[in-house]
Each structure stands twice: as C-alpha cells, then as structure tokens.
Amino acid sequence: MATAAAASASEAEPEPKAGPTAEGEEDDVKTARTRRKVLSRAVAAAAYKAVGPGWDQQEEGVSESDGDEEYAMASSAESSPGEYEWEYDEEEEKNQLEIERLEEQLSINVYDYNCHVDLIRLLRLEGELTKVRMARQKMSEIFPLTEELWLEWLHDEISMALDGLDREHVYELFEKAVKDYICPNIWLEYGQYSVGGIGQKGGLEKVRSVFERALSSVGLHMTKGLAIWEAYREFESAIVEAARLEKVHNLFRRQLAIPLYDMEATFAEYEEWSEDPIPESVIQNYNKALQQLERYKPYEEALLQAEAPRLAEYQAYIDFEMKIGDPARVQLIFERALVENCLVPDLWIRYSQYLDRQLKVKDLVLSVHNRAVRNCPWTVALWTRYLLAMERHGVDHRVISVTFEKALSAGFIQATDYVEIWQAYLDYLRRRVDFKQDSSKELEELRSAFTRALEYLKQEVEERFNESGDPSCMIMQNWARIEARLCNNMQKARELWDSIMTKGNAKYANMWLEYYNLERAHGDTQHCRKALHRAVQCTSDYPEHVCEVLLTMERTEGTLEDWDIAVQKTETRLARVNEQRIKAAEKEAALAQQEEEKAEQRKRARAEKKALKKKKKTRGADKRKAEEDDEKEWGDDEEEQPSKRRKVENSTPPAGEAQDLEAEMGLFGKSAPVDVDPPSKQKERAAALKRDMPKVPHDSSKDSITVFVSNLPYSMDEPEVKLRPLFEACGEVTEIRPIFSNRGDFRGYCYVEFKEEKSALQALELDRKTVEGRPMFVSPCVDKSKHPDFKVFRYSTALEKHKLFVSGLPFSCTKEELEEICKAHGTVKDIRLVTNRAGKPKGLAYVEYENESQASQAVLKMDGMTIKENVIKVAISNPPQRKVPEKPEAKKAPGGGMVPRQIYGARGKGRTQLCLLPRALQRPSTTAAQAENGPAPQPAVTTSAATEAPKMSNADFAKLLLRK
C-alpha cells in the first residue's frame, strides 16, 4: 500500500505545473500577476492534498482527475480577475508592507523567533516560493524548527520536486528535519517519500536505510513507534518475492520483542499472516515485552493524562529509565521530553551530562550539545559545556573558535555570563599551550585573548549592563597566575596586579593577601614586604588582619629595623582606623539623633494640628451653646432642652412632650410641627442598632484560627452576610466580627474566626481577591502589642529568575491581554497586576513563568515592546530590599508645643471634645444678672438647684428694662 500510494503521489506531483505557462500569455501585467498568485495558492493546496500526511491517496478516493478538477475550478475562478482585482491589489499592498516591516525587524534582531514565523507565513501566502525558501533556510540556521514548520516546508518542496535533482534536495531537507527533534511523523513522511524513488538506482536500499534509521530513532516509542513498524512491514510485504518473506518475519519478531501499545493486535496479525506456527522463542520474548509494558504503563498514562509540557511527568519517567539503565530507552525518553520542553536548560544539561559520562559517542554528544545551544542560546552553562565537549572529542581549533564567537553573540542576560564564557574559552586556550617552550604561537594567542577579553568586558559588557561583571578581576588574576607560575614572568604579573588594585580593589584585605601569596610563591621577600606595607595603608575592611600578616613575616624573616618600621606603621594605621571608626560612629549617632528630632517635630506638628482642629470645633460648639443660652434667658425652660435634643435625634418626640410643645408654641401663635419621617430613617435606625451593639473584645487566644480582613469598601452593607459565603469555602466559619465606628459606619475591616486552624490557613489564599471593586487583604491575626515588628508581605523580595517585572503598562491593560502577550514566550504560571488600595492599576505587573529559561527568553523578546502606545520595560524580578522601620523607643514628653495628657483626662484625647463645664460658670455676666433679680446664689449651689429658680413673667422683664 505504501509503495502504491507513494508512487501515485510522486507521479501526480508535476501535473499542476502546466497551468501557469498558458496563462502567462495575458497582456495585462496586473492580471497576470493576480492569476499567478491565485494559481500558486491552488497548486499548493492541491499538492498538499496529493502528498498529505497519510499518503493514502488511493484509499481516500483522491485521484489525478480530482486534482485536475480542482485545478480547473481554480482556473475558472480566476478567469475574470477584473472583478476582484482591486481586492487582490489591496491585500497585496498590505502584505508587502508587512513583509518589509518584518524584514527590517529581522535585520535589527535576527533572534526574533515570532518575526521569522510571521515572515514565512506571509511569503507563503503571497506565493513568493523563492523568498519563502530563503526565509526558512535562514530561520533553520538560527533556530531548530518545530514538527509543524518542517512538515509544511517539506510538503511545499515535495510539491515543487520535478526530477531526480529535486528529489535529492528533498532528501537533504529530510535529513535536516530529523536532526532537530525526535518526530515520528517526519520519519514516517521520510520513509514513505523515499518509497516514491524506489525505481531509481539504489532506491530499494535507500528505502530500507531510511526505515532502519527510523526504527533506531523512534522504534521504541511506546505510543507512536507502531506506525513506523507497520509502514516498514507494508513496504516489505508489497515486494512480491519469496526471499522477502523472511524479512517480514524478522520485522514481526523484532517488533514483538519491544514493549509497545497494541502489542496484542500485532501478535494476532502475525499469527494470521504466518503459515507456520510461531516459534517458542518469539512467544517468550513477546510475553517478556508484555511484562515490561505493564511496568511502563503508569508513566505513559501519566503523560497521557497530564497537560503539556508535562515536565514533572517526564522527569519521573527519566528517573525510572535511568535506574533501569538501557541507553537506547534513556536517550529516547530524553528526546521525547525535549520535544515539549525544548526551552528548559536544566533538561538539556542533564541530557548532555548523561551522554558525556555514559555513552561518550562523539557524533551523538556533539549533536545534542549543538541542539542545546540552538534551543537555549541565552544559557551560558550550555555554551561552556559545548566548548568542553568539543575539546574533549578533539574538534578542530577553528571550529571551537567559531562556536565561541557564536556564544558571544547569543545575548546573555547577565554580565557575569560573559565573564563565565570568556573564562571557559581562556581555559581551553591555556590547555593548548606548551609552556616548556619560551615562546609559541599558542601562547601569543592566549595573551591576545586575555587582552581582548578585558577590552570586551570594558566596552561591550559595561556599556550594556553598566557593570563589567567581574568586579574582583578574576580574569586578570588568572592571567597573573599563568604569567607567574607557568611563564616565570613576575614583572607582567605585578603589572596586572597593579591594574587590579587600581580598579577599586585596594581596600579589600583578601585581594592584598592574594597578591602577597603570589609574591611569596614566585617572587621575592622585598616585593612581599612592599605589598604588605601598601596593604596596611590601603585596607579598610580588615586592616588588623593585614597588620598581623606583616608582623608575622617580619618576625620570621625581617631585621630589627624592618621590625621597628612594621610596628610603627601598624600602630599608626590602627590608631587612625580606630579614630575613623569613632568619628563614623559619632556621625551615625548624630544622624540618628537628627532623624529622631525630625520625627519628634513631625509628631509635635501633628499634635498641634489636631489640637487646633479640636479647638475650632470647641469654639463652634460654644457658639451654638451660647445661642441656646440666650434663648433660655428669654424664656426657654432648660427642662425642655432634652426634649429638643431627642427631637433632632429621633425626629419623633414622645406623645406627652409633643403635646406640651404644641401648647407652648400655641402661646406664640405658631402652628404645630407635622411629624414626617426622613428618607434615611431606615439607615439611621440600622446605624443606631450597630452603634448600640455590645463591644466584643478580641480573644488573642484564638489568633491561630482567626484571620484579619482589611481594605474592604466602607460602603459595604451587611459585611457579615456578604463575606460569609466567601470564607465558608475555606471551612466552617464560627463568627465574622465587622468593626463599626461610634456613628455606626463600617470601618472597612473585620475578624473572621474559623472552627479549625487549617481553614484559617486556607483563607490566607484569598488575599488580594477583589470584593466590590477593591482588593481584599487577608492576613494572619497577630497581636501587634506583643509582636510590634510583625508585618506580612506576601511576595518575595529576593531575585527570582523565573519571574519578570513589567513596568510602563497602560492602565487599561487587563490581565488577560498581558497573558496573551506573555504566553507566546513560554508557559505562564501566574500574572499579578499591581494595584493601589482602591484596586486601581499602577501600570506594573509581575509575570511568573514555569522556569528560568522561558523568563529569560521573554525578557529578550518583550523588553521595549509597545502595548497600546506605551513602551514597556521588562526585567528579571529583583525588588530592592524593603526598609525595616526602626523600633520606637520611649521618649520623654516634650514641653512647650506638646499638650500634656492630663488636659484630656485619664482616657486621653476624646473624639467629640464636648465641654462639660456648666454655662453659669462659663458666662461671667450671669452672676450680676441674677443678683439684680434676687439674692446672689452661694458658691455651693449646684447646677440642679439653679435650674429650680422661678420663671420670670412679662412684668418682670418690663421692670428690668425700666431699671436700666
């Protein structure tokens, strides 16, 4: 079947090519161009059908006549292009502009993967077959292509293959395709396509070679290897020769000895096909394979049930295979895992390490290392391992140098990565040098490489990262060691160390001691003494250690004069250091004192501001009371004041008081008020109920089963009712205690008490959940009086290489929109948009990827991207250290501006600041007025007694006026 299908497919390929020549005779250039594009698309579609993935053209009923019909339909559809010419012109212009933009983008950044894919798609859509071939070639040189991209490319090339030379080109393309990833479908396509060339010289051997290589590569694949075995058997069965029957027998026996899915069906097919009884050895191997299949099934089923990329499941499967130790199966499971996790550097490192230590096959090892750096070029560890593997297997020096140059242009994300790759390359060059010779080509190359490395770090790396990545000058230190120990060139080593010290390292004791040890081993005593004397003068971190080393050396080797000089220098230096430390401590204490004074001033200013605000409120209250007092003097009875106050508060006075009020107002000829309920009466009653609720003190012994909920909307009605369903999802809720103000308003926080501690821990996961448009804060319930330093910060403040910090986002950007952009570069585990307490976005976000490599790739692709006219910045998440607030200390109450606590009473400053002093004592004219109306009251008379004075009639008022 495979032979017939492939033969028919190969015969059907050239037929659609006859159309364009006949139609190329049109006079109108635009019409010809339009027809060419429509035709090329129709040809591509027809060719894809003819040589599709199944290659089962005859079984599906697809014949050459069907292709001719499709071609005729395409030709007739474009026979009158004038009607749709404007549509094609507009689409063509739009696509051409996009193609030019993508080409310009790739000229700037050739490592833009998505840009390559989009360019290939547009060129293929436009029918630019030559350009799309070149675009694919460029992309394949930089990146490994996925199975989908390779199959699309192969189908296009197969549809254009006309002769033997074209077939050889397709073969070369297949060879490239099977090297990127392990793809059973590509191997199946390769084998079936090779069947079409069986009539050529060596065609039969070519087919068998392809199928045998396919079995070696994917024949052990438990779920997809079966298709390769069946295709190979069908090919051998199609060759009607008696000698070929034994070949089919061998294929059946080999397949039945391997644990594969549907083994039972293969065994039944063998029994039906074979005329002779199945040998006992084959049955034994088959039963053994069935037992092995049962051991593998849990891992295969875990892969089938999990979602891509299934890294954890593959890791468990790899561990299982490593314990068994079959190299072929270990290699297969690594390859299967890398198909879905090709951007995980740790997986590539583990795979290459296994090959380096176990198999040690040159071609296989180097191939895997090469694929690793093509998949994860930003990972310096893969490049260093690649250089070591090339050196280990004796690769030519020029090839290693070219690989190193590729590594430099890979675009590492940290300055230290460039230091590491330079160090690996310099180590390789050092191992090439024969130091027994005074001078050699390799030694000069090593020295020039050291010089270039220093210049590269200074110019390229510092310009990009604002740091060289080598603050301790490790490359220069290694160079100095090589010059001193291997080249016996201490003069060059001293020059290098002088340069190291001038780069800000002279203040570190360990740097001076490193230099001293080098002089001690390969120099002389005079230079050792000179180095230590300089160290004593320059070291600022551990001068005592350097002084001790100098005195030790002079004690064992120096003269009396040397000893005296050393003692004098060390004593002078240590005295100066102690003096500097004292001054620094005093300065630090002064700064701390200034900070305390500033804090005290701010505190005093706040207190004065509050006192002034309260004083204004008191004046307003006194003014209102004075007005009420004036009304009282003119005939208002003080006993009626409570009645008026209740009227204001409750809007409806008691019945008796209402009648008295009506009678009194009737004396002045005023109409009685009509009782009308205000619109907010129900709300006031609810507030009154909340205000009258008994205060329940918090029980700190229940902190472990209680969470503190804050940042809730103040306008939330019935918080307990709205929050209970939310927290009951975490466990049984014992009580929800919302906190209200004295006026009965909800203050935006509450306590939620659970029955079990695990429910409280689960409730902490609700932190930052949006409730009525605001992020709700959920934190552990902790007594701040007992733990004043306790502060909950949910997110890590350390370097997280798998998480990105995105800034400059438009405020309108949603989490879904950002996730759609980020998931193109890897698996996004979580996205957090940073908001303020009101839930409004701040234009910042944290994006967490599954691993470090995906995050690194996203930084390279997304940094500087434009989102809704905003240029965003993307970096690895590395928040600055959070400032720890200083512990408050007990301070003396300041005099002057600060108001003593005694003024406010034992309970401190109240909220209302009402004056409780009787009005009679507040008004100095009251005593004189009462004296004119009768005997002056004694000082012992209380306020209640004063209120019992007889009422003044109209005649009394008249007498008062006449006396004046």
Side-chain angles (χ1 to χ4, degrees), residues 373-446:
V373 296
R374 291 180 67 203
N375 280 273
C376 305
W378 60 87
T379 307
V380 68
L382 293 175
W383 287 102
T384 56
R385 288 174 176 272
Y386 191 14
L387 294 177
L388 289 172
M390 296 175 77
E391 181 185 3
R392 194 177 294 119
H393 291 281
V395 178
D396 186 70
H397 171 63
R398 287 173 294 182
V399 178
I400 297 178
S401 299
V402 170
T403 304
F404 168 71
E405 296 298 333
K406 289 181 180 179
L408 288 181
S409 61
F412 300 130
I413 61 175
Q414 293 180 348
T416 54
D417 293 344
Y418 287 94
V419 178
E420 185 175 347
I421 192 64
W422 268 110
Q423 192 61 65
Y425 184 59
L426 292 170
D427 292 344
Y428 157 71
L429 293 179
R430 193 266 308 164
R431 288 190 286 267
R432 295 181 67 243
V433 179
D434 183 7
F435 291 100
K436 295 179 181 180
Q437 301 179 9
D438 294 337
S439 179
S440 63
K441 180 180 177 181
E442 290 79 8
L443 179 59
E444 294 303 322
E445 184 179 2
L446 175 61

Side-chain angles (χ1 to χ4, degrees), residues 656-693:
E657 294 180 0
Q659 293 175 0
D660 295 341
L661 187 60
E662 286 179 6
E664 183 178 352
M665 295 188 68
L667 293 175
F668 295 95
K670 296 181 180 179
S671 59
V674 181
D675 293 338
V676 180
D677 291 340
S680 59
K681 183 176 180 180
Q682 294 181 355
K683 187 175 180 179
E684 290 181 0
R685 287 180 178 175
L689 290 174
K690 295 173 183 176
R691 186 169 58 249
D692 297 337
M693 288 176 61

Side-chain angles (χ1 to χ4, degrees), residues 240-264:
V240 186
E241 294 182 16
R244 307 304 177 201
L245 295 179
E246 186 62 28
K247 190 78 174 178
V248 178
H249 275 290
N250 289 334
L251 287 174
F252 267 118
R253 294 166 184 171
R254 288 168 59 188
Q255 181 179 352
L256 291 174
I258 298 173
L260 298 172
Y261 272 41
D262 296 332
M263 291 186 62
E264 296 84 355

Side-chain angles (χ1 to χ4, degrees), residues 18-131:
T21 57
E23 296 177 8
E25 300 174 358
E26 296 287 342
D27 297 331
D28 194 313
V29 177
K30 292 185 178 179
T31 304
R33 184 173 55 204
T34 303
R35 288 181 177 179
R36 176 174 59 83
K37 291 189 175 181
V38 173
L39 180 62
S40 64
R41 295 172 190 169
V43 168
Y48 183 83
K49 266 193 172 183
V51 293
W55 289 66
D56 295 334
Q57 188 175 7
Q58 301 297 332
E59 291 187 2
E60 295 178 3
V62 180
S63 63
E64 295 182 6
S65 61
D66 296 333
D68 294 338
E69 289 177 4
E70 290 184 5
Y71 172 73
M73 291 173 63
S75 300
S76 62
E78 56 105 17
S79 60
S80 57
E83 183 179 354
Y84 304 103
E85 181 178 344
W86 64 274
E87 294 182 3
Y88 287 117
D89 287 344
E90 183 179 357
E91 181 184 358
E92 177 188 0
E93 183 178 359
K94 180 180 178 181
N95 289 342
Q96 285 297 331
L97 291 175
E98 182 65 14
I99 288 172
E100 292 176 2
R101 187 191 68 82
L102 292 173
E103 289 177 343
E104 182 180 358
Q105 183 75 15
L106 286 175
S107 66
I108 298 173
N109 180 17
V110 74
Y111 289 97
D112 192 334
Y113 184 89
N114 295 328
C115 196
H116 281 283
V117 175
D118 294 339
L119 179 61
I120 292 171
R121 178 181 56 81
L122 284 177
L123 291 174
R124 190 169 185 265
L125 186 64
E126 289 296 302
E128 302 287 350
L129 301 180
T130 304
K131 289 186 177 181

